[in-house]
Structure formats: structure tokens, C-alpha cells
Amino acid sequence: MNLQERDRAVNWHPYTQMKTAEDAIPIVKGSGIYLYDEDGKKYIDAVASWWVTLHGHANPYIAQRVSEQLNTLEQVIFAGFTHEPAIQLSENLLKLLPENQEKVFYSDNGSTAVEVALKMCIQFWHNQGKEKTKILAFKEAYHGDTFGAMSVSGRSVWTKPFGEMLFEVIFIDPPTSGNMEDLKIIIKNHSEEIACFIYEPLIQGAAGMLMHKAEDLSELMKFCRESEILMIQDEVFTGFGRTGKLFAANYLSEKPDIMCFSKGLTGGTMPMGITTSSQQIFEAFLSDDKYKTLFHGHSFTANPLACTAALASMELLLKEETLEKINAISQKHFNFSQVLKNHPKVENVRQTGTIIAWEIKNDEKTSYFNEIGKVLYNEFLKRGIIMRPLGNVMYLVPPYCITPEELDFVYRNILEVLDSFSN
């Protein structure tokens, strides 16, 4: 049997209807922005393998650092023990975050980073004898697929089988200058029972790369602060340069109480999640009463290999040449967005930093299940480009190592595909 047949026999793939799905493409090697299949065909990874690969595949510096760590210490329980990579990573990360972020809690992916954050907020109030248990979140939010993360994500066909098992959430529209006062009224009416507000800053990724303005989010955050509502900023997607700045937090005038990270954290090399918190949150768990402990952990909490990969990735991220590449991608995306805005088959073009998105006009409504997505996906695969449209919403989130010429190749193919749809 070949790799596709062997895969079909044993594997269950994510977000995939296995009965009707085409065979998975076997990838045997990665290098820079390219992935290579078993027949030697190469593909530009234009979506950074689900938005995680910052510096390209098989980055030699990260690989070297992880290899060295593998020969030193591969794993140790993080309850009662610690190690240099975890300490160093926490120190380095906190220096880059809003100054109120002072403690780091390790987990193993974006969903668990969110679970930790939600538990911190609810128990923060519980430890003080206050039962504030409702959560405020954006409509169409996506924070992960575990039960807590699903609960604070927008209700949809994805969550329908579990509807009765998800906890109560107050959903609001993302802020605009036009709806701000209405949002404040909703929050004011429920402020006594809301434990926290969780949000994706600036960009709601899985919702279709929906974008809102930093000044509007800052105003909403300020109101939540005045209403004594804790804030969880989910930067799992937006962190580590994706928005054009190191973090979406760099655009905001207000500071969250808790932040969540994963995806680009290790440069896409290894799974890891991080939840950071303010000193105020941390101190609510300090007590002679052991029942006020945050009872949460993972077998691979602060895994030394993943910490080392994250340290290496962060070193690369902070290099002047990487920051210049991020700026260059952002500028080229902006220029391309002006071209797209004039295309007759395109609408709702939006761009923030290295993220650009647009919608294909068609007879169906904008939806993750819009059939045009599959057609587009296969067409770009034929052209050696991996894009994963969210239905009729197309987007680019490339690794930072992509060259201007490679970006131009992707842009050119996008326009050719669009033109073929306009005939």
C-alpha cells in the first residue's frame, strides 16, 4: 500500500468528513515556505500550516536548538520541579507583553490555554467568595474545541451536538463606533454576574478573518475594566507578529488581565500553550487554604523541548531582518488589497499586518460550508499553492521567510483563478 492507502486505513483527520473526503496528500519533507509530497511536487504553504509556521519548515536554527536540548533534558514533571528553558522562556516572553502580565502558566495547545484562562477567572471570584460565573464573548468567536473553549465560541453546527452541555455565555457583536453604546448597556445590565470577557483582538480568524478596529476594542476594554470584568485576550492566532506588530496588544491602549498563546509560539515546531496573568490574578490563588489552589495541569506542562523551540523561534522573530520581512509582507498585502478591491468577483477585502482576506462573490451566502471553497482549494493545489478557504472567504497567512517574488507568484495565481471565475 502507498501512504494514502495506509493513511485511509488508520487515521481520522480533523474537520474532515471521512466518507466523502479525497485522500490526504502525503508530505515527506518541508523546507522554508515549501512542502514536498511523495512524488516530489512542491507546494507553497500560504497558510503557514494552520497559521503556526512563522519561520518556514524545518528551520535549521530551531532544529539545532531542539536537538541540543534533546540530548540534555527531554521531559520533567513541572509540579515541584523546574528547568532553565521554562524559566528563560517566561522571562523573555513577559518582557514583550503588556507590563501588567507577570506570571506564566504552561499547557499544550490553544484550547487548553483558553481553558486555563477561563478557570483562572471563575476561580478568581470564587476564591474571594463571589460567584460570578457568566462569560462575555463575541458572536462567531472561535477559541478552541475543548468544552470550555467551545462554550465561549459562537454557537454553530460545529457545537450543536453539545449544545445542552455548554455553559451560559453572553454573546455580543464585535465593537464599532455605531454599536458601542448598545454593547455598554448589555454589559452594564449583566456586570454583576460576568466573570470575564474573552475576545480575539482585531481579527476573528476561524469566523472568516473578520476584523475590528483597535480603538473600538480599547474603548470596550476600558468599559469592562470600569465594570470590574476581567479580560482574557486570546492571542493564539494574532500573537508573534501576525498583525504586523509583535502582538495585537501593541495596538491597544488598555491591558488585559490574562493572555493566551499557542500556534506561532514555537514557530510551528512543537505543540505548546501559554496562559499569562497579572499579579492580581495570581495573588487571588495565594492562600493557606489549599482549596484555593489552581488545580490544573498537563503531563507535558512546560516541556523542555517545546520551551527550547519557543526560545529559538522568539530569537528569530526579534531579529531585525525578520521584523523587516513582516513589514514587507504587510506592505505587499496592502498593495495587493488595493488590486483586489477593484476585482469584479471580490468583496469585503480586509488586511491587518501579514493577514489578508477577501470574499468571492457568488450565489451562495458567505459561509464556511460554501461549496466554492473546495473548488478553490483544489485549484490552488494544482498550481502548487496550499490555501484553505473558509468557504468563499479566502486569505493568506504566509511564513515570514516568504520572498517578494514568491508572494508575487501567489498573488498572480490568485488573480488568474479569480479571472477564471469571472468568465
Side-chain angles (χ1 to χ4, degrees):
M1 290 194 296
N2 61 27
L3 288 177
Q4 286 184 329
E5 292 167 336
R6 288 167 58 195
D7 177 83
R8 172 71 72 170
V10 295
N11 286 332
W12 190 343
H13 290 267
Y15 293 102
T16 302
Q17 175 45 258
M18 297 301 294
K19 182 175 182 179
T20 57
E22 297 175 6
D23 285 337
I25 298 171
I27 297 298
V28 298
K29 185 178 74 169
S31 178
I33 67 162
Y34 293 101
L35 291 167
Y36 297 80
D37 69 19
E38 62 179 348
D39 297 322
K41 182 176 179 178
K42 68 178 183 180
Y43 303 84
I44 291 177
D45 187 356
V47 295
S49 287
W50 251 342
W51 323 341
V52 303
T53 304
L54 298 189
H55 311 293
H57 295 282
N59 181 275
Y61 181 65
I62 298 177
Q64 175 196 343
R65 291 285 302 277
V66 172
S67 177
E68 292 168 355
Q69 183 62 45
L70 185 59
N71 287 297
T72 305
L73 175 67
E74 86 300 344
Q75 169 65 5
V76 62
I77 183 174
F78 207 60
F81 296 86
T82 192
H83 51 82
E84 173 66 24
I87 297 168
Q88 188 68 61
L89 177 56
S90 296
E91 290 173 342
N92 291 4
L93 178 60
L94 290 175
K95 289 176 184 176
L96 303 176
L97 298 181
E99 59 187 11
N100 70 329
Q101 298 298 295
E102 297 192 43
K103 297 295 179 183
V104 173
F105 193 99
Y106 287 95
S107 59
D108 50 18
N109 62 67
S111 292
T112 55
V114 167
E115 296 283 340
V116 171
L118 294 171
K119 291 174 72 173
M120 282 179 176
C121 287
I122 292 171
Q123 192 173 342
F124 171 88
W125 297 111
H126 177 82
N127 283 0
Q128 300 174 78
K130 300 177 182 179
E131 296 306 308
K132 297 178 71 170
T133 58
K134 287 187 179 179
I135 313 293
L136 184 70
F138 286 150
K139 294 176 182 177
E140 298 191 76
Y142 176 78
H143 296 286
D145 294 329
T146 49
F147 269 85
M150 267 200 302
S151 292
V152 295
S153 297
R155 301 297 194 262
S156 66
V157 293
W158 295 355
T159 60
K160 188 175 182 180
F162 319 103
E164 297 301 316
M165 306 172 75
L166 305 180
F167 53 72
E168 187 174 356
V169 174
I170 299 168
F171 289 106
I172 59 174
D173 290 314
T176 67
S177 57
N179 69 10
M180 187 66 68
E181 294 309 311
D182 290 338
L183 298 183
K184 289 179 179 179
I185 290 172
I186 294 171
I187 293 170
K188 183 178 181 180
N189 289 341
H190 296 277
S191 61
E192 292 299 315
E193 54 189 351
I194 296 175
C196 61
F197 168 38
I198 183 169
Y199 53 92
E200 300 157 273
L202 307 187
I203 305 163
Q204 293 182 270
M209 300 296 171
L210 303 179
M211 301 183 186
H212 51 271
K213 294 180 179 179
E215 55 266 33
D216 294 328
L217 179 57
S218 292
E219 183 176 346
L220 190 64
M221 292 171 68
K222 185 174 187 292
F223 187 77
C224 285
R225 176 74 66 213
E226 294 168 351
S227 304
E228 296 189 332
I229 295 170
L230 299 175
M231 288 176 282
I232 301 171
Q233 188 153 303
D234 180 352
E235 294 229 26
V236 167
F237 173 38
T238 56
F240 306 102
R242 279 294 171 209
T243 63
K245 297 187 179 183
L246 286 181
F247 301 97
N250 298 122
Y251 291 92
L252 303 170
S253 62
E254 302 299 313
K255 300 177 179 63
D257 299 281
I258 292 173
M259 299 180 73
C260 301
F261 306 95
S262 188
K263 289 197 181 293
L265 173 60
T266 67
T269 306
M270 306 184 79
M272 170 172 270
I274 278 180
T275 308
T276 64
S277 81
S278 66
Q279 188 68 19
Q280 180 192 20
I281 299 291
F282 179 72
E283 289 181 355
F285 294 81
L286 300 181
S287 175
D288 293 326
D289 181 355
K290 291 184 178 180
Y291 293 110
K292 291 189 175 181
T293 301
L294 178 63
F295 292 110
H296 192 99
H298 300 268
S299 300
F300 290 96
T301 294
N303 173 259
L305 299 177
C307 287
T308 300
L311 281 166
S313 177
M314 205 175 301
E315 285 181 44
L316 295 175
L317 177 65
L318 295 176
K319 284 180 175 290
E320 189 63 34
E321 62 183 283
T322 304
L323 299 177
E324 289 174 356
K325 287 177 180 177
I326 290 171
N327 288 334
I329 294 169
S330 300
Q331 185 59 53
K332 283 187 72 68
H333 275 359
F334 173 79
N335 294 340
F336 186 55
S337 74
Q338 304 310 299
V339 175
L340 286 174
K341 286 178 180 178
N342 292 318
H343 199 285
K345 290 294 290 183
V346 171
E347 59 187 353
N348 298 332
V349 181
R350 57 258 190 199
Q351 180 252 337
T352 299
T354 68
I355 305 160
I356 183 172
W358 63 97
E359 292 163 30
I360 306 293
K361 294 179 183 177
N362 66 109
D363 294 334
E364 296 181 57
K365 67 177 182 179
T366 294
S367 164
Y368 179 86
F369 295 100
N370 189 306
E371 286 299 317
I372 199 173
K374 184 177 180 181
V375 175
L376 292 167
Y377 173 75
N378 287 324
E379 179 59 32
F380 281 101
L381 282 181
K382 293 176 187 175
R383 295 166 176 261
I385 302 171
I386 298 174
M387 296 184 71
R388 191 177 170 85
L390 300 165
N392 64 310
V393 176
M394 298 186 67
Y395 67 90
L396 292 175
V397 185
Y400 302 148
C401 60
I402 194 167
T403 67
E405 294 75 21
E406 289 162 340
L407 258 181
D408 286 336
F409 173 82
V410 174
Y411 294 156
R412 189 163 60 249
N413 276 272
I414 288 170
L415 292 175
E416 288 176 3
V417 171
L418 288 174
D419 288 342
S420 71
F421 273 95
S422 64
N423 291 336

